[in-house]
Amino acid sequence: MSAESLKDTTTSVAPGKPPAKVSVKWDGEHRFDGSRQSGSPSIRMDASGKTGPSPVDTLLCALGACTGVDVVDILAKRRTPVESMNVEIEGERYAGVPGRVTKIHLVYQIKGAGVEKEHALRAIELAVTKYCSVRDSLDPNMPVTWELQLNA
């Protein structure tokens, strides 16, 4: 398929958001280094898991980071800043080929003196269901569940 025919089938992008442009460079075996084309620091991906997370692991990390940014921002707007947060992500995989992710579970471990459970849960819900562009880029029928561990 030519680039011209691909262009005809794509959806136009709303003004204001430039396209995301990244590149990955092969570094032997199953290793790739990815970065923005503008030359930002790179991330290592390794399908063998020896020198970095696999591409699928990186996708799950991207979901955790994307939703995490939203959670931190939402709670900061409530004037209940997060002191620390960790997101544990588990992606169930299809046994065949390709081994796509079929279900994702996120565990948000949040610490913050003024953070209330109901507000943290609402922030997570909004992040996962409304604001995160990574989640919105995944299959909308893929189950994504979450839980909160607050000040544990």
Side-chain angles (χ1 to χ4, degrees):
M1 187 177 272
S2 71
E4 191 60 36
S5 62
L6 281 175
K7 185 186 267 185
D8 295 340
T9 62
T10 59
T11 306
S12 63
V13 176
K17 287 280 187 184
K21 294 183 179 183
V22 299
S23 64
V24 293
K25 181 179 178 184
W26 180 56
D27 191 37
E29 296 181 9
H30 294 145
R31 297 181 304 266
F32 285 84
D33 295 320
S35 66
R36 287 185 168 180
Q37 290 181 354
S38 62
S40 67
S42 65
I43 58 170
R44 168 60 56 102
M45 293 167 281
D46 183 347
S48 300
K50 295 176 187 171
T51 63
S54 74
V56 171
D57 294 343
T58 305
L59 174 71
L60 296 174
C61 287
L63 178 62
C66 183
T67 59
V69 166
D70 294 329
V71 169
V72 167
D73 286 351
I74 292 167
L75 291 174
K77 286 178 184 175
R78 293 196 60 81
R79 297 185 184 183
T80 55
V82 171
E83 294 168 14
S84 69
M85 180 171 62
N86 188 52
V87 185
E88 299 287 337
I89 306 108
E90 181 176 316
E92 291 184 17
R93 309 266 315 263
Y94 176 67
V97 175
R100 69 187 177 277
V101 177
T102 58
K103 181 180 179 183
I104 300 173
H105 184 70
L106 304 124
V107 179
Y108 294 84
Q109 300 164 338
I110 300 173
K111 290 185 181 177
V115 178
E116 295 178 25
K117 184 176 183 178
E118 68 183 79
H119 296 147
L121 285 169
R122 180 67 177 148
I124 294 167
E125 178 184 10
L126 287 170
V128 174
T129 64
K130 185 174 181 180
Y131 295 122
C132 175
S133 55
V134 173
R135 169 59 183 125
D136 209 44
S137 299
L138 299 173
D139 181 345
N141 295 316
M142 180 190 317
V144 177
T145 58
W146 59 87
E147 66 182 90
L148 169 65
Q149 296 173 354
L150 183 59
N151 295 317

